[in-house]
Structures are given as structure tokens and as C-alpha cells.
Amino acid sequence: MVSSRDIERAVAALRAGALVAFPTETVYGLGADASNPAAVRRIFETKGRPATHPVIVHLADAAELAAWAREVPPAAHLLARKFWPGPLTLILARAAAVSDVVTGGQDTVALRVPSHPVARQLLARFGGGIAAPSANRHGRVSATTAAHVRDEFGDAVEYVLDGGQTDVGIESTIVDLSGPLATLLRPGSITAGEIEQALGASLALPSGDAPRAPGTLAAHYAPRTPLLLMEADLALELAASLARQGKRVAVLALSAQQPVTPGITWIAAPREPASYAHALYASLRRLDEAGCESILVERPPQGPEWAAVNDRLARAATGSSARG
Ligand code: TXA
Ligand code: MG
């Protein structure tokens, strides 16, 4: 676990322009001093992320919004009061001082106050904004443990704060408040319905000219092994048939019962959406490491409480097939 000495060392590393991976309640972040463009550039190099893709600035407190956004609309205050600290990211018009490296050259900036105690301590002690995308190589599965971060980056990341397994397990909900309509850019554990209820207004869905959000690219969050989404009966049938042909196959099941056929790497996912999300990336990593020809994922239900999980699974399927 993390001691106050670890926090002090991490703060010193950030001040020196180094990268610090740290836990948030959603996934681990790969952090740099958001006011140091050279340090933020290092994040992009380390992740292999295209320079035009903006990163989220993490703040200790909503009171710091005014330093990063040139305009804080009432809706931002409303959502901040209701959901911060917590797994929500707001897109606002950026303040003039925010570096182009952080915003990918856009006129907006992504801001979030995380609730994980280690992230909060780090931010409070650091005293500034920490730019941090998810701590994974570009396009791959996000890290929900410190060990996953080290698997992704090895020695390329100087400092990893180990805060155990993250609670939520998938990335924050992103709401764009920089335009006339509040727009949902990425679904997360805070649902569209909860945001709409807090705002007393409907959320728009992104149009073609909405700001770029790589987490919303069709191919993302992907394991190396081809991943296929399908109904339970088809997953069972296909897994059994592949196994009978002597092929290695992995299944992430939800309702399906493990068949007696040997040779299938099987994970039974939790039946409840929040628990499913909590375990999802660790399960995908385990199934990926099993060295199978394919990962068959039983398609979860379609209800709104499953929206964030279905979003990540669809992108993981596209991402893995894009690589073939
Ligand atoms: O839960 C999370 O949000 C995690 C933790 C570490 O905070 N972070 C995370 O960062 O998922 P990342 O970079 O993997 O995804 C952030 C998303 C990206 O899709 C990025 O393009 C989008 O936020 N984003 C950042 N700035 C933006 C902006 N100005 N306009 C639109 N989208 C933006
Ligand atoms: Mg990411």
C-alpha cells in the first residue's frame, strides 16, 4: 500500500517532470505535471499515443476548475457538486494558459476530480493539475492494478503508486459541456440517466464534429487475441466445437454454464453490471494471456445499466479484429 513517503517521492518525481502512474477509482492513470508540456509529451511517447489526442487533467478539488476552464457553466457546477470527487470527466472551454499538448490543440480541456484516496492525496500534495490518460499502451486494455501497469510499461514508467485493484474498473463517464448541448462522449459507471436527472435535461449524442475522444474510437480497449461477442448458446457451441478440433479457446461467460469439454479457458463474469465492470479488464488480460486462438464473450443484456460495459466490449471486439 501507499505511505506518505511514497506520496512525497511521487510528488517530487512529478515536479521533476517524470511520469507517475497512480490509481484512480476507475483505472490507473499515467500522470505528469499538466503545466509542464515536456512532461506531458513524455506521456504520449510512453503510451505510443498520437499527439492530437487530448488527455484528462485531474484536480484535487472542483474549486480549481476556474484555473483550467475559461468558463464554468452552471451545468458544470451542478455535475461537479453531485458527482465529484468521482468517475466523471467534464469537457469545458479551456483557459488560455492550458498547454496545447494537454488539449491536443483543441479549444477545450477535460477535467476530473477523482475519488480514490491515493489520487486525492497525490493531488492535494502536488497542488497542481495532473494530466493522465489511462496507464496502458494506446488502444489496449486499461490497467486496473499496479501489476498491469508494470506489464504494460516495464521500466519506461519511473514511479508506480500501488493502490490495489481499482474499484469501478472502467474509465470515467465523459460529458461535454463546452457547446450549447450537454453531450455524452463516453458512457461510464455514472449512467446517462443519472446525469440527465442531475441536469434536468436530456444529453445529446456526439455529432460528427464533436471533439476528438480516442476512448470513443471504434477500435480501443482491445486484447491481442481476437475477441468475438455473441449470444450464450452460440458461444457454448463454438467453444465446444473449437475445443474438439484441438484449438485453444477462451470464454468470458455471463449466464452460460461451463461445458465439460476440456481445453476451454473459462471465466464466469459477475452477473451484476458494476461487478462485471470491476472485473472486466483483469478478465480480458487473463484470457489474453491464455494464448488462445480467440476469446468468445457472451453478450451482456442491453439495458442502460450495461451501456458502459457494452461500449467497451464492442470497441474491444473491433480493436482486436482490426489487428486480425
Ligand atoms: O477514468 C478515466 O477517465 C481515466 C482515469 C485515469 O482518470 N482516464 C482515461 O483517460 O480514461 P484516457 O486518456 O484514456 O481517456 C480520456 C478520454 C480520451 O478519449 C480523450 O480523447 C478524451 O478523454 N478527451 C480528453 N480531452 C478531451 C477534449 N478536450 N475533448 C474531448 N475529449 C477529450
Ligand atoms: Mg484510455
Side-chain angles (χ1 to χ4, degrees):
M1 282 290 138
V2 175
S3 70
S4 55
R5 258 191 65 206
D6 296 331
I7 297 283
E8 293 314 319
R9 272 200 229 130
V11 166
L14 288 172
R15 293 208 172 117
L19 301 185
V20 171
F22 64 98
T24 81
E25 69 279 23
T26 58
V27 298
Y28 274 71
L30 182 59
D33 178 355
S35 65
N36 178 344
V40 178
R41 234 172 257 126
R42 206 160 290 140
I43 297 178
F44 287 81
E45 286 158 16
T46 306
K47 269 188 74 109
R49 178 170 172 146
T52 50
H53 291 187
V55 291
I56 298 173
V57 178
H58 298 70
L59 304 173
D61 194 282
E64 288 169 31
L65 271 182
W68 296 87
R70 67 170 176 274
E71 212 183 311
V72 183
H77 287 296
L78 210 67
L79 294 183
R81 199 173 316 130
K82 170 99 187 167
F83 297 111
W84 281 354
L88 174 69
T89 297
L90 298 178
I91 310 290
L92 300 176
R94 71 157 163 184
V98 184
S99 160
D100 274 340
V101 187
V102 168
T103 67
Q106 303 187 57
D107 195 34
T108 54
V109 61
L111 300 164
R112 145 164 147 79
V113 176
S115 63
H116 193 290
V118 172
R120 300 205 70 192
Q121 275 180 62
L122 180 68
L123 285 159
R125 291 294 302 139
F126 180 60
I130 300 180
S134 51
N136 53 279
R137 294 198 184 263
H138 183 63
R140 313 215 54 90
V141 179
S142 299
T144 52
T145 68
H148 295 166
V149 176
R150 293 196 194 93
D151 290 346
E152 288 286 311
F153 298 114
D155 293 337
V157 173
E158 293 94 331
Y159 210 87
V160 181
L161 286 170
D162 186 348
Q165 183 169 7
T166 64
D167 183 23
V168 176
I170 55 171
E171 305 78 2
S172 60
T173 305
I174 304 183
V175 176
D176 183 0
L177 296 175
S178 69
L181 294 174
T183 304
L184 181 70
L185 293 189
R186 182 172 71 185
S189 64
I190 297 175
T191 64
E194 290 174 282
I195 304 275
E196 290 178 330
Q197 195 170 19
L199 288 176
S202 311
L203 281 170
L205 288 172
S207 66
D209 58 358
R212 291 180 296 262
T216 65
L217 290 178
H220 218 76
Y221 312 116
R224 290 185 171 80
T225 315
L227 181 152
L228 300 160
L229 264 171
M230 60 189 69
E231 307 309 321
D233 47 358
L234 188 55
L236 273 175
E237 218 173 281
L238 193 55
S241 122
L242 287 169
R244 275 196 303 270
Q245 296 166 47
K247 296 188 172 138
R248 297 169 64 95
V249 58
V251 176
L252 182 58
L254 189 56
S255 68
Q257 297 299 313
Q258 180 165 11
V260 286
T261 327
I264 305 177
T265 303
W266 186 275
I267 292 182
R271 298 286 196 102
E272 188 273 321
S275 313
Y276 188 105
H278 171 76
L280 175 61
Y281 290 146
S283 300
L284 289 182
R285 278 171 190 274
R286 255 179 61 204
L287 295 177
D288 209 10
E289 281 154 15
C292 295
E293 283 191 23
S294 41
I295 299 172
L296 313 183
V297 176
E298 180 182 341
R299 195 189 299 283
Q302 289 303 305
E305 69 283 14
W306 288 95
V309 156
N310 282 319
D311 171 78
R312 303 307 189 278
L313 286 174
R315 293 177 209 287
T318 309
S320 67
S321 73
R323 267 195 315 279

